C-alpha cells in the first residue's frame, strides 16, 4: 500500500514536471515570436544601416513579418492561461506576484485613413506625403506589435483573460497597417 502511494506521488510529480516543462516551452515559443518581430523592427531602424531608397529593400522584412504575424493564435494564449492555472492548482507558486510579470497594456493603435491609398494615388503627381511617412508607420506598427505581444504573454502568464480581449485584436490591426503602408510605399516607387 505504501509502495502504491509512493508510485502515485511519483506519477503526480512527473506530471507536474511535464506540465511545467510544457508551460516553459510555450512561454519560450511565444517570447521568441516577439523577439523575431523585435529583430525585424531593429533591421528597419536608421542606425542599423542607410535608409532604404526603395520599398523593395524592405520586401523581405515585410514577408518575414507577415509570416510571423500569421502565427498569432488566440488559442496559444488561452492555453497559456489554462496551463498556468493548472500549475497553480498543483501547488507551483507560478502566480506569485513578487516573481511574476507586471503586464502593461499597449496604447491604442494608430491607423491610417481607410482611403489613404486612394488619396495618395490622387496626389501622385505632386507627392505631398513623403515616403518616410510610410516607413515610419511601418516601424511604429512593428514596434507596437512587439509591445502588444509582450503584454499578451505577460498577461496570460498571470491569467489575465481581459488582456487577450484587449491586446489580441490589436495584432491583426497592426499587421494590416504595416502591410497597407508598405503597399502604398510600393505603389509610389
Amino acid at each position: 500500500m505504501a509502495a502504491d502511494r509512493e508510485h502515485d506521488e511519483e506519477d503526480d510529480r512527473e506530471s507536474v514536471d511535464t506540465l511545467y516543462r510544457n508551460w516553459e516551452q510555450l512561454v519560450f515559443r511565444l517570447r521568441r515570436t516577439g523577439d523575431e518581430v523585435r529583430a525585424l523592427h531593429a533591421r528597419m531602424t536608421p542606425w542599423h544601416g542607410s535608409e532604404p531608397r526603395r520599398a523593395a529593400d524592405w520586401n523581405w522584412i515585410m514577408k518575414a513579418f507577415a509570416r510571423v504575424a500569421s502565427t498569432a493564435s488566440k488559442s496559444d494564449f488561452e492555453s497559456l492561461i489554462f496551463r498556468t492555472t493548472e500549475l497553480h492548482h498543483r501547488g507551483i507558486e507560478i502566480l506569485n506576484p513578487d516573481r511574476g510579470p507586471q503586464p502593461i497594456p499597449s496604447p491604442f493603435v494608430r491607423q491610417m485613413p481607410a482611403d489613404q491609398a486612394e488619396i495618395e494615388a490622387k496626389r501622385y503627381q505632386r507627392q505631398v506625403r513623403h515616403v518616410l511617412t510610410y516607413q515610419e508607420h511601418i516601424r511604429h506598427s512593428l514596434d507596437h506589435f512587439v509591445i502588444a505581444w509582450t503584454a499578451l504573454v505577460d498577461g496570460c502568464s498571470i491569467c489575465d483573460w481581459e488582456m487577450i480581449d484587449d491586446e489580441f485584436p490589436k495584432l491583426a490591426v497592426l499587421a494590416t497597417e504595416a502591410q497597407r503602408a508598405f503597399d502604398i510605399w510600393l505603389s509610389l516607387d
Side-chain angles (χ1 to χ4, degrees), residues 55-69:
D57 296 338
W58 276 5
N59 193 35
W60 72 272
I61 293 175
M62 294 306 296
K63 284 181 180 177
F65 175 62
R67 180 187 50 77
V68 172

Side-chain angles (χ1 to χ4, degrees), residues 69-99:
S70 70
T71 65
S73 170
K74 194 172 186 178
S75 63
D76 285 341
F77 295 103
E78 291 169 344
S79 178
L80 180 57
I81 290 177
F82 290 135
R83 290 177 186 196
T84 302
T85 303
E86 178 67 23
L87 285 169
H88 177 69
H89 289 301
R90 295 280 187 105
I92 304 294
E93 288 191 24
I94 203 158
L95 292 176
N96 184 337
D98 295 334
R99 287 185 272 162

